[in-house]
Amino acid sequence: MAKIFCIANQKGGVGKTTTTVNLAAGLAKMGQRVLMVDLDPQGNATMGSGVDKRKLELTVYDVLLESASVAEARVQSSKLVDAGCGYDILGANRELAGAEVEMVELERREKRLKIALAQVEQDYDFILIDCPPSLSMLTLNGLCCAHGVIVPMQCEYFALEGLADLVNTIKQVHANLNKELAIIGLLRVMFDARITLQQQVSEQLKARFADKVFNTVIPRNVRLAEAPSYGVPGVVFDLPSKGAQAFLAFAREMVERIEKT
């Protein structure tokens, strides 16, 4: 059965999508079977995986409204397959913004993604869900079907405040909707070891969350930032770069953690 993880943080611009697509590519490069689910109406994870969101015939929107199955809507990117790290993509585009309103009146509205993914769980080792930067019905659907949450965060003061909000949200979902949900780990991203404040916040995180903080640290890296404009993850765009190598190390750490549990 697939391990399902949300990549979530209620703060925007913290590298959720970069983390999702590069972890997916890193895991696929290691021979893992991966499905990446884009739950953000902006569709950045879709575009960053080499798929043109404007040309998609079926998206996660159709899956949530039960007009298509995951098996019918998933696609692959030839760019990623050719690079040896192809993974399946359940894409998103602007249509998904309308799903919020349409789902309010529907039955099982927060469990729709869980029901849809149950049909394909056997096909994958990992299912990664890129969540929007808000606690919306879409994020709730992701949290309701996940075994755990991976939290990418910058080592800055305001990031700590946002983390407290997210931890409370996860506790509420755990108590009321999904008993399996837990924080898998905190991933330090866009890290610059030269900045004293970042080092201090990093130490605070390790002191407070201990083994919940991943050992891997993703450095601030220009090549990772450039990759989306070429429609590929950094792991494909420039494998020798520090950022890509860090994400490969993170993928290895994820697999090791899963094997231990």
Side-chain angles (χ1 to χ4, degrees):
M1 297 285 277
K3 285 291 183 184
I4 304 175
F5 298 121
C6 281
I7 290 80
N9 192 323
Q10 283 157 268
K11 194 171 184 293
V14 294
K16 287 187 295 297
T17 300
T18 300
T19 299
T20 306
V21 298
N22 281 286
L23 177 57
L27 289 168
K29 202 167 187 66
M30 293 169 61
Q32 302 290 316
R33 300 168 303 158
V34 182
L35 170 67
M36 191 282 297
V37 180
D38 191 351
L39 267 190
D40 192 333
Q42 293 181 74
N44 291 338
T46 304
M47 297 289 277
S49 298
V51 174
D52 189 340
K53 63 185 179 185
R54 294 159 297 200
K55 294 179 180 176
L56 284 173
E57 291 181 20
L58 295 170
T59 68
V60 69
Y61 169 81
D62 301 287
V63 171
L64 290 171
L65 294 182
E66 296 181 349
S67 59
S69 67
V70 176
E72 291 168 334
R74 63 190 172 191
V75 295
Q76 279 201 329
S77 161
S78 56
K79 288 182 189 175
L80 303 191
V81 173
D82 293 345
C85 46
Y87 53 86
D88 286 356
I89 300 146
L90 183 54
N93 54 28
R94 287 287 174 196
E95 268 189 338
L96 188 55
E100 293 275 350
V101 180
E102 292 175 57
M103 286 167 66
V104 169
E105 302 294 324
L106 299 178
E107 293 178 11
R108 314 180 315 279
R109 60 191 179 197
E110 69 282 336
K111 298 281 180 78
R112 295 205 149 215
L113 186 61
K114 181 183 177 78
I115 294 164
L117 290 178
Q119 298 171 9
V120 296
E121 273 187 299
Q122 305 287 353
D123 298 351
Y124 301 103
D125 300 305
F126 287 90
I127 297 176
L128 305 177
I129 303 171
D130 185 34
C131 293
S134 62
L135 183 58
S136 60
M137 183 58 65
L138 295 171
T139 303
L140 199 56
N141 260 270
L143 294 176
C144 280
C145 66
H147 298 114
V149 183
I150 297 166
V151 186
M153 60 180 296
Q154 292 172 259
C155 290
E156 296 173 353
Y157 176 71
F158 287 125
L160 289 174
E161 287 197 340
L163 180 60
D165 293 338
L166 182 63
V167 169
N168 287 333
T169 297
I170 290 167
K171 282 180 180 174
Q172 288 174 357
V173 175
H174 172 85
N176 299 305
L177 295 165
N178 180 2
K179 297 295 182 194
E180 291 186 45
L181 189 67
I183 290 183
I184 298 298
L186 308 175
L187 178 66
R188 291 161 289 172
V189 298
M190 303 184 210
F191 190 78
D192 189 339
R194 297 169 300 180
I195 299 174
T196 306
L197 175 64
Q198 293 204 1
Q199 290 180 335
Q200 289 171 344
V201 172
S202 176
E203 292 304 319
Q204 283 180 317
L205 282 175
K206 285 194 284 187
R208 184 174 170 191
F209 293 95
D211 60 348
K212 289 285 187 190
V213 180
F214 287 109
N215 295 323
T216 309
V217 178
I218 310 300
R220 188 172 287 281
N221 184 250
V222 174
R223 302 302 272 171
L224 285 179
E226 289 174 342
S229 62
Y230 292 86
V232 290
V235 169
V236 175
F237 179 60
D238 188 357
L239 185 58
S241 69
K242 284 184 179 178
Q245 288 299 309
F247 271 115
L248 282 180
F250 178 47
R252 283 193 292 272
E253 187 176 354
M254 277 298 301
V255 172
E256 285 168 12
R257 281 206 182 200
I258 298 309
E259 286 174 349
K260 285 178 185 174
T261 55

